[in-house]
Amino acid sequence: MNEEATERQKWLAILAKASEETLLKLSESIVSGVDFQIIRAPQVGLTQVQGRMGGSGNPFFLGEVTMTRCVVKGPSESVGMGFVAGRSKPKALRVAQLDALLMHADYQSRIHELVLTPLETERQAYEAEKCREYAASKVDFFTLVRGDE
C-alpha cells in the first residue's frame, strides 16, 4: 500500500471516529466557502461485521451495524468519501467534504491544524480517561495455598 493511501486512511479514521458536534464545529469555517457537487447523497444502510476470537482466530459473523455513506466531488474534481457508523447524515457529508479537500495541498495544512490535530488530541484524552476508569475497577484474582496440602 502506498504512503498516500495510508495517510488517507488515517485522516478518514480520525474524522469517522470524531463526535459529530465537534467535527461540524471545527470544520465549518473551512467548508463554508467551497462548492461541492454531491455524487451520492448521504444514505443510511447496514453492513455486516465480522469478529475474530482473540483478534487472531477464524473470522465469524458478528452482526450488522448501521452506517451512513456519502460521496462528493470537490474542487479540481477530487472525490471525497464519508463512511460513518450510525445514522448521521450531516457527519457523513462533512467527512466526505473534508476528504475531498484533504487531497489538495492548499487545504491540507489548514485542515490538519484546525480539525485533525484537535480531534486526535480529543480522542487520545478520551481513551486515556477510559483506561484510567478501567484500571480503577480492575480486580486481581489470586489463589491462596494452604499449608502443606
Side-chain angles (χ1 to χ4, degrees), residues 44-117:
V44 177
L46 295 173
T47 188
Q48 290 184 348
V49 180
Q50 287 187 344
R52 292 180 182 267
M53 294 302 285
S56 60
N58 291 330
F60 63 92
F61 177 66
L62 185 63
E64 294 178 331
V65 173
T66 305
M67 293 201 60
T68 307
R69 69 179 179 175
C70 181
V71 181
V72 300
K73 188 180 289 188
S76 301
E77 304 299 312
S78 62
V79 177
M81 294 180 276
F83 290 87
V84 298
R87 298 177 171 269
S88 177
K89 290 181 180 182
K91 182 177 177 182
L93 176 61
R94 186 57 53 90
V95 170
Q97 291 170 333
L98 291 171
D99 182 40
L101 292 177
L102 278 161
M103 292 183 219
H104 292 284
D106 298 346
Y107 293 97
Q108 280 185 355
S109 63
R110 186 168 174 218
I111 293 173
H112 276 283
E113 178 186 337
L114 298 176
V115 180
L116 295 176
T117 301

Side-chain angles (χ1 to χ4, degrees), residues 1 10 15 19 30 51 76 84 89 92 96 99 110 116 136-137 149:
M1 190 178 298
K10 287 179 186 176
L15 295 171
S19 73
I30 297 169
S76 301
V84 298
K89 290 181 180 182
D99 182 40
R110 186 168 174 218
L116 295 176
S137 66
E149 292 181 25

